[in-house]
Amino acid sequence: MVIGNGMAGARTVEEILARGGDFDITMFGDEPYGNYNRIMLSNVLAGVEDESGIFLNDLSWYAENGITLHAGVRIERIDRKSKQVYATDGTATPYDKLVIATGSSAFVPPIKGAHVPGRGYHQGVFVFRTLDDTRAMIRYAKEHERAVVIGGGLLGLEAARGLQNHMPHVTLVHAVGHLMERQLNERAGATLKTAVEQKLGIDVIVNGMTTEITGKHAVTGVKLADGRHIECDVVVVAAGIRPNTQVAADSGLVVERGIVVDDQMLAQGEDDIYVVGECAQHRGELYGLVAPLWDQAKVLADHLTGANRQAAYHGSQIATKLKVAGVDVASMGLLEPQQEDDELIEYAEPRKGVYKSAVIRDGRLVGAILVGDNRKAAFLMQAFDRGLPLPEDRAGLLFDLGGPVGEVSPAEMADDEQVCNCNGVGKGEIKACVDSGCRTVGGVMDKTRAGKGCGTCKPLVRRIVEWAAGGEVEEDPAASYYVPGVPMPKPELMDAIRLYQLKSVSSVFAKLGGEEDAKSKMGLASLLKMMWGAEYVDERDARFINDRVHANIQRDGTFSVVPQMKGGVTTPADLRRIAEVAERHGVPMVKLTGGQRIDLLGIPKEKLPQIWAELDMPSGYAYAKSFRTVKTCVGSDFCRFGVGDSTALGIAIEERFQGIEGPGKMKLAVTGCPRNCAEAYVKDLGVVAVDGGRWEIYVGGAAGAHVRKGDLLATVSSPDEVITLTGRFLQYYRENGNWLERTYAWVPRVGIEKIRAVVVEDAEGIAAELDARMDAAVGAYRDPWKERAEPVTPGQFRTSLPLTVLPQVPVRA
């Protein structure tokens, strides 16, 4: 019998079944579900993983393996003498061998206002531990504006990151002086804080002890010990976990911080009661990471089944590599030197969010921390775990110094070496999956769950699969899906949408994809708008916040407003109007953009309609996956080098294609001569005037995080031809590019020769159809800022809570 249907309990049963144990297995679990991966709850909260994707064993698995599961039934007492357990439903069940895997519960500090007597948590207060907790948070957050997360450990950071997808402003409050103090030293924690604030826009307060949650009927804020008050309407308490030991203590087992066990995972003084997971205390230690729990499960199964009665658990060296709120972090062993002759190698670049350190004792690596750059994590973890020889030039521990990367190849890795820390998957399991016939990286990840947590191990998983398959890795069909929730490549998906006349996101899921998938909604909405134009049925929950309010959300929960300036050309009247609006509303920043427009930053959501009305200018679409701008130079009218009227052509292109949807942003430029002042060579589509009244059209360029010179699509003789080929190319990209695939990736993937053949030479005879569909899209254009007069939903521009500047936390020198 197993008490507990969480990750440790279910993994123990899997290990018992793998050893051929001849047992009738009964399991009790508090939650009314099969077994799921709690680590993945942060992905569900963030909207990047569907609930169905986190289940390790659904209910059918129990039936298939002859396991009796009492889901949603709690055990309240163990009678060790009669060897029976008593459940909350009044039943008594006998056992021969008992495994306690009750795990942990969320720890809620004694904060005034967190609870309402007789009612549970105050309205707006949540913990983050179960699937039900996550569902409740998502439902509540969608209708509110500002969240405070209490706790700056891994769980708190992941909760804060996830809530950002539902709320415009998130503040994280941590009682200790730096984040993740159990895994990071003070300097690493400070670096992580900087990265979280600057890269993610989450406000972080350290040394902030929460003393009270305010609000009579619902949460209105939190008070800190230093007197500060932070306004919010959602509070998530992620202040740690506590082992669930009550049933063991009530039943007479030895309990200290956890249920005390020996090296065979037997409860102290017991012959037939085992304990595994977060509730077990072994040699004074509690473990909350997956890898130690898996090690415990193996030893327990060996001993219980008789497969190896000498098996013993000697404790675990803690080493972990993961993404914390989007930031790469690795930690193992000691955080600081502890002895006089310990060596410390340390590198810090706080502005870039990078920190690295290594602690060496007697020539062995005994501790290491990486924040912001995990490239050396695999080697460091191998050196830490195996005691590998270290380079004489100690900097080689933290950097690749021009030689080959010091990592062990898949062939050299031990079969039991951990690859995926989130799901406890070793190299041997990945190899076995490949040996069983699975030859795609995605298939191996689905079957083993390797790489399905934070994702940092995906490159290593791929290398192991390639090695195990002898280089014969098969193409993963899912790699061609337009969105993950509908198993179809884009052309097939579009054919099905036309066939069944599917004009809303929900209808696509109902007909083609089964359960709705949060990760797929935005991509499907974009595709349907592109296909149906004015006939598209808009469902607002399929839109990101930017698309719901037609403005770009900023780190403080305000928005930026960028009015259209076609071709980068404006008038004194427009400039005067922008200046007057900015002065009248006290706009915090007025900024020139790289796309030759003016950005008004710091606009509260509720002011957007008023700002748009007073500007009385069209939207510049500086927030959407759509046609953005056409950057131009001054062209032939004023420039002494100009050979073509780039300004007029740029304005004409922007007037025609403004606002059309796409798989990704579409930024264009027109330059009046090959001197390229408008940077046309590095745009999604760039037009360059050349001698003889001709125009060169380049596609697939980029000059952001990726830098790529565009490929020459065609040279034409007139502006009309430029506009025709521009529309045809953009439509071909719109219909064939994958969601979020920019042209700089799409063009080389498809090939410029193929694109030229279709768009310029009409080799497939579809040019007229592409032109017609683009004409329809252009005809369906409507300025989204016109919604100021008639909001689509009552809460579209709902007043936010006051967005006040928080006091700055003193930085320790």
Side-chain angles (χ1 to χ4, degrees), residues 70-88:
H70 298 278
V73 179
R74 176 174 293 190
I75 297 298
E76 57 185 4
R77 184 168 66 87
I78 303 166
D79 187 330
R80 294 149 56 212
K81 290 185 178 179
S82 66
K83 300 180 77 170
Q84 291 194 101
V85 298
Y86 295 86
T88 52

Side-chain angles (χ1 to χ4, degrees), residues 186-204:
E186 185 177 345
R187 299 171 301 286
T191 302
L192 178 61
K193 175 179 179 291
T194 299
V196 169
E197 289 179 324
Q198 294 182 352
K199 295 181 179 180
L200 304 179
I202 296 171
D203 290 330
V204 179

Side-chain angles (χ1 to χ4, degrees), residues 614-674:
E614 293 179 15
L615 287 172
D616 195 25
M617 300 170 70
S619 167
Y621 281 89
Y623 53 83
K625 300 293 182 272
S626 67
F627 185 100
R628 291 287 188 93
T629 60
V630 181
K631 189 172 182 176
T632 69
C633 66
V634 296
S636 56
D637 282 355
F638 293 94
C639 179
R640 54 198 172 95
F641 300 104
V643 294
D645 190 352
S646 57
T647 305
L649 180 53
I651 291 172
I653 291 173
E654 190 160 350
E655 283 182 341
R656 176 159 177 75
F657 301 114
Q658 58 190 344
I660 61 168
E661 298 283 337
K665 295 180 284 190
M666 293 169 280
K667 297 182 178 182
L668 284 71
V670 182
T671 192
C673 74

Side-chain angles (χ1 to χ4, degrees), residues 6-23:
M7 294 176 70
R11 181 60 173 239
T12 299
V13 171
E14 289 176 351
E15 296 288 351
I16 291 171
L17 293 172
R19 286 156 179 76
D22 186 17
F23 295 96

Side-chain angles (χ1 to χ4, degrees), residues 728-748:
R728 196 176 297 164
F729 168 79
L730 293 179
Q731 185 65 22
Y732 190 49
Y733 162 61
R734 277 159 35 98
E735 294 184 6
N736 292 277
N738 290 327
W739 174 237
L740 300 181
E741 183 180 33
R742 292 288 298 274
T743 62
Y744 62 71
W746 178 74
V747 168

Side-chain angles (χ1 to χ4, degrees), residues 47 482-486 505 509 517-525 542 739:
Y482 175 65
V483 290
V486 183
V505 170
F509 283 124
D517 172 50
K519 294 181 292 185
S520 303
K521 285 186 175 182
M522 288 173 56
L524 287 173
W739 174 237

Side-chain angles (χ1 to χ4, degrees), residues 291-619:
L293 275 54
W294 275 203
D295 292 339
Q296 293 175 4
K298 290 174 183 176
V299 170
L300 191 160
D302 277 342
H303 193 266
L304 188 150
T305 62
N308 180 9
R309 291 286 183 181
Q310 306 307 312
Y313 177 66
H314 300 296
S316 298
Q317 289 197 102
I318 300 302
T320 186
K321 180 181 72 168
L322 39 85
K323 261 193 196 302
V324 180
V327 180
D328 287 321
V329 172
S331 175
M332 60 208 78
L334 300 181
L335 307 182
E336 299 275 15
Q338 293 183 349
Q339 298 180 7
E340 286 187 8
D341 56 352
D342 285 350
E343 297 178 55
L344 174 65
I345 298 92
E346 191 172 35
Y347 173 82
E349 200 172 355
R351 287 188 179 180
K352 290 188 176 180
V354 174
Y355 175 87
K356 307 180 184 187
S357 70
V359 181
I360 300 168
R361 178 179 297 165
D362 299 328
R364 290 191 58 169
L365 184 69
V366 293
I369 298 171
L370 300 175
V371 174
D373 181 359
N374 267 1
R375 283 176 291 182
K376 297 295 288 186
F379 171 69
L380 289 172
M381 293 177 78
Q382 291 161 356
F384 174 73
D385 188 55
R386 299 186 190 179
L388 298 178
L390 304 180
E392 287 298 323
D393 186 348
R394 299 304 200 207
L397 286 169
L398 306 181
F399 302 95
D400 294 323
L401 302 178
V405 178
E407 293 183 5
V408 178
S409 69
E412 297 171 304
M413 294 172 62
D415 280 349
D416 62 354
E417 185 164 332
Q418 191 97 323
V419 173
C420 178
N421 290 308
C422 293
N423 291 311
V425 184
K427 171 204 163 182
E429 293 172 73
I430 297 172
K431 182 179 183 300
C433 184
V434 176
D435 291 343
S436 70
C438 185
R439 295 299 177 99
T440 69
V441 175
V444 170
M445 289 170 60
D446 287 339
K447 289 187 177 182
T448 65
R449 308 301 297 172
K452 302 291 274 187
C454 70
T456 57
C457 65
K458 285 182 180 179
L460 180 56
V461 173
R462 173 175 289 279
R463 292 203 305 273
I464 294 172
V465 172
E466 290 172 348
W467 163 78
E472 297 180 1
V473 178
E474 298 173 3
E475 183 179 352
D476 189 350
S480 66
Y481 298 165
Y482 175 65
V483 290
V486 183
M488 290 182 175
K490 190 172 184 178
E492 294 178 17
L493 174 60
M494 292 175 65
D495 288 343
I497 288 171
R498 291 192 185 100
L499 175 65
Y500 297 112
Q501 293 287 294
L502 306 176
K503 298 181 181 180
S504 69
V505 170
S506 60
S507 67
V508 173
F509 283 124
K511 187 69 178 179
L512 306 177
E515 294 186 12
E516 293 193 1
D517 172 50
K519 294 181 292 185
S520 303
K521 285 186 175 182
M522 288 173 56
L524 287 173
S526 173
L527 180 65
L528 292 170
K529 279 185 275 187
M530 183 270 291
M531 293 179 64
W532 296 113
E535 296 180 59
Y536 165 65
V537 178
D538 189 10
E539 294 168 324
R540 304 302 276 195
D541 68 342
R543 296 187 179 206
F544 180 56
I545 179 64
N546 287 7
D547 299 299
R548 292 200 297 271
V549 301
H550 314 300
N552 195 11
I553 193 167
Q554 306 298 304
R555 61 175 292 177
D556 62 353
T558 63
F559 292 82
S560 70
V561 170
V562 182
Q564 186 183 63
M565 289 182 178
K566 296 171 185 173
V569 176
T570 186
T571 66
D574 283 347
L575 289 175
R576 191 176 300 114
R577 191 181 307 121
I578 291 170
E580 290 171 351
V581 169
E583 285 185 341
R584 191 157 46 244
H585 293 277
V587 173
M589 179 179 284
V590 180
K591 182 85 169 58
L592 298 179
T593 75
Q596 298 179 335
R597 295 182 295 185
I598 294 176
D599 193 351
L600 306 181
L601 292 138
I603 311 297
K605 185 172 73 170
E606 63 272 15
K607 277 195 172 185
L608 290 173
Q610 185 180 358
I611 296 282
W612 297 339
E614 293 179 15
L615 287 172
D616 195 25
M617 300 170 70
S619 167

